[in-house]
Each structure stands twice: as structure tokens, then as C-alpha cells.
Amino acid sequence: EYISSQVCDKRLAVAPRVAEHVKTFRDELLKSNPEWLKKEMIDDVRSKVQDYAHGYTVCNLIGPAVFNGFIHRTFVEECMLVDAVSKLTTDIAELLKHVLCHLANTYATARHPVLANQIIELGEEAIQKKMCISQQYCAAVAEAQVVTSTTNGEYEVRLSTFRQGIALAMGQTAKQQRPQDLPQDFWDLVRAAKDSPEELTVLEICASLKTYTEYMLNGFVEMSSKLVQHNMVFQFMEELEMCCRERFEGSISALFPVDAKAVRRKAELEDKIKQLSQVKDMLSNLYVGTPPLKRARSYQDRVARQGT
């Protein structure tokens, strides 16, 4: 933990700043999820069904290939997940570099500038290495999203709610109340398509995509953010130590080079001290005579001196 009264030291608190980056990562990724129940995405799904899925089987069995295709295209081929992780790791890397430079410049530069520069250089190498590892792990997790299965029971519950809403919209009563989960535009499309099985299939695919992708993205955020924090934050000091051991093995003296100017000044001072010591010894060997007697300052003193 790090606490400071200086506002400028806010960026030195690593854990809170990383948590902020993770929250931004989650919010931006969820925001980038397509609006599957809007007209643009519904038209896109309808087009794919007509172009690639129509005609193979009856209308109510159309869907899995289109569903999987949209997941693969949107989140894997278009690199939505990988790009989001790349931004997260870059932000955390910049944070770690800032903290590293601050510590090195504060505690090492004044007395050991070579050591400070070496630590900064090795720290940046360690950060870059851990960032690449994190991106590789998260890219594998992103690629795995083509497996469109889930053990999350809430997905089935929520999808059932959508289906109930669709069934409700297909009812004969025009005054049926719209469920809150169904937008008004989507509700109107469902009511208009109650006599078209193909259109209802398209709308159900869109509802499935909306429900599934929300759970998928939340799961991806949880896993990828933990991978990034584990590799880039928790293992950073261990990686930096290993880099330092490899670089400085047998060459510690190179980190503390001799300052020629300081050595010359030291020799000059030692020479002056030696000369002063010699002068002191010479003065101590000089003969010092007995000082003359002081004149008697009174008649009694003179009488006393004569009597003796």
C-alpha cells in the first residue's frame, strides 16, 4: 500500500491505478458489444441467414452456424478482444515505467547514476517481456471464444425470458405488456413477424447473441484481467530480479564506477594533510626559552625577594 499527501504521487499507487485501468477495460469492452436488437444488426443477421443458412433445413432449425459465425467474426476476426487487451496492457506498462523511473531517479540517481540507468533499462525490458506474455495468454483466451458453450445457468434463464417475451408479442391480444428486457423496436418487429417463421428465427438469433455475448464478455474480462495483473504486476519484481542477476553477474563493480575527479580531489586533500602534519611536527620540535621574570610590582615583593 502507498499513501501520500501529494496529489502528484497519485500515480505511484500501483494497485488502485491498475484497478482503474481494469474497470475502464471492462466498460469499454462491454460498450463495444454490438447492439444485437437494433435494426442494423438484425438486418445483418437476416442477410447472413438468407445468404448462407437458408435452404438447408426447416426454418426453426436454422441458427447455430450463423450464431457461431457472428461470434467468430465480431470478437475474433475483427480482434475486438485482442485490441482491448492490448490497450489494457499498454496502460499498465506505462504506469509501471512511471513508478520505476520515479523510484530510480529519487533513490539512486544522485549517488549512483549508472546503477539507476541500468535499473530503468532492465525494468523496461522486464515490463515489455511480461506485457508480451500477458498478451499471448489473453489472445489464446480470446481465440477460445469460438467455442460457444457455457455452464452459466443465468444464460438459459435470461434467454427463456426473451423467448417468453417473444411468445407474448406473438399473442393475439394487441394490448399485451412489453417485457422490460425487450426494446420497443424489437418488440414491434416480433409482433410484425408472428406469421413469418424465418423472421422469427432471425430475431431469436439476435436475442441469443445479445444474451450470450454479455455473459461471454464479462467472463473474458474477469479471466484476462487476472492474467494481466498476475503476469505484469505480481510477477514484475521477480522478473526484474532475474534480469538484474543475469546482467550484473560478476560485474557489480561496473555499477559503481570510480569518479576520476573525486579520486584526484581526495589525493590532493591527503597530500595537504600530510604537509600540515609535517609542519606540526617541525613546530613541536622547536626550542622554547624560559620567559624573563616579571618586575616586582610592589615594595613588599622587592623586600621579600632581597631577604631570600
Side-chain angles (χ1 to χ4, degrees):
E1 297 180 0
Y2 177 81
I3 299 177
S4 174
S5 59
Q6 301 295 326
V7 178
C8 60
D9 290 342
K10 178 181 177 180
R11 289 193 64 191
L12 301 179
V14 175
R17 302 295 80 74
V18 170
E20 291 175 359
H21 289 311
V22 170
K23 183 179 183 303
T24 301
F25 165 66
R26 176 185 181 276
D27 293 343
E28 291 182 352
L29 193 54
L30 292 177
K31 186 177 180 180
S32 63
N33 189 21
E35 295 183 341
W36 299 104
L37 302 186
K38 295 294 184 179
K39 184 178 184 303
E40 180 180 357
M41 295 309 302
I42 293 174
D43 291 342
D44 195 6
V45 173
R46 184 186 298 110
S47 173
K48 294 299 185 293
V49 170
Q50 293 176 352
D51 294 343
Y52 299 102
H54 180 68
Y56 289 99
T57 184
V58 292
C59 297
N60 63 306
L61 297 181
I62 295 175
V66 176
F67 180 90
N68 295 339
F70 271 98
I71 296 295
H72 185 268
R73 186 193 73 178
T74 304
F75 300 101
V76 179
E77 285 185 357
E78 296 180 358
C79 299
M80 179 190 295
L81 303 180
V82 172
D83 290 344
V85 169
S86 178
K87 184 178 184 303
L88 173 64
T89 54
T90 300
D91 291 341
I92 294 178
E94 292 300 321
L95 170 65
L96 294 177
K97 290 177 183 178
H98 171 77
V99 175
L100 178 67
C101 291
H102 172 81
L103 294 176
N105 293 329
T106 302
Y107 298 105
T109 301
R111 300 185 61 182
H112 308 294
V114 176
L115 175 62
N117 293 334
Q118 290 288 321
I119 289 178
I120 292 174
E121 179 182 345
L122 290 174
E124 291 179 350
E125 291 180 5
I127 292 170
Q128 183 67 28
K129 180 179 179 180
K130 284 301 182 181
M131 182 175 71
C132 292
I133 292 175
S134 299
Q135 290 176 349
Q136 291 174 0
Y137 287 161
C138 293
V141 176
E143 183 71 25
Q145 301 311 311
V146 298
V147 181
T148 54
S149 61
T150 179
T151 58
N152 194 325
E154 294 183 7
Y155 167 73
E156 293 294 339
V157 173
R158 190 173 178 190
L159 186 59
S160 298
T161 303
F162 267 94
R163 287 173 173 168
Q164 292 173 5
I166 291 175
L168 189 63
M170 294 172 60
Q172 299 297 326
T173 304
K175 295 183 179 180
Q176 295 284 5
Q177 293 293 324
R178 173 178 62 85
Q180 294 182 353
D181 288 342
L182 292 180
Q184 184 63 51
D185 294 343
F186 189 78
W187 171 264
D188 294 338
L189 288 173
V190 172
R191 292 184 63 84
K194 62 182 180 180
D195 296 328
S196 175
E198 293 182 1
E199 185 65 14
L200 288 175
T201 298
V202 169
L203 297 177
E204 185 167 350
I205 293 173
C206 292
S208 299
L209 285 169
K210 173 179 173 56
T211 305
Y212 177 80
T213 54
E214 289 179 355
Y215 287 112
M216 182 197 74
L217 289 177
N218 279 301
F220 178 79
V221 167
E222 289 295 322
M223 180 57 67
S224 58
S225 62
K226 288 180 179 180
L227 284 171
V228 170
Q229 291 181 77
H230 176 69
N231 284 279
M232 295 191 66
V233 180
F234 291 94
Q235 291 189 341
F236 170 66
M237 291 306 300
E238 180 181 349
E239 183 65 29
L240 178 59
E241 179 182 352
M242 294 303 298
C243 291
C244 290
R245 288 179 180 273
E246 294 176 1
R247 175 72 64 87
F248 303 141
E249 184 179 6
S251 61
I252 294 296
S253 59
L255 299 176
F256 307 96
V258 176
D259 188 342
K261 184 178 180 180
V263 172
R264 185 169 60 253
R265 290 289 304 276
K266 180 181 178 182
E268 292 175 353
L269 290 174
E270 290 177 347
D271 185 57
K272 290 180 179 179
I273 292 174
K274 184 178 180 181
Q275 293 177 8
L276 292 174
S277 297
Q278 293 174 352
V279 172
K280 179 181 178 182
D281 293 339
M282 293 174 62
L283 292 175
S284 63
N285 293 329
L286 290 177
Y287 172 77
V288 180
T290 303
L293 296 175
K294 295 182 179 180
R295 295 181 60 186
R297 291 177 295 177
S298 65
Y299 173 78
Q300 290 81 1
D301 292 338
R302 289 196 301 269
V303 171
R305 192 176 293 111
Q306 290 175 358
T308 59

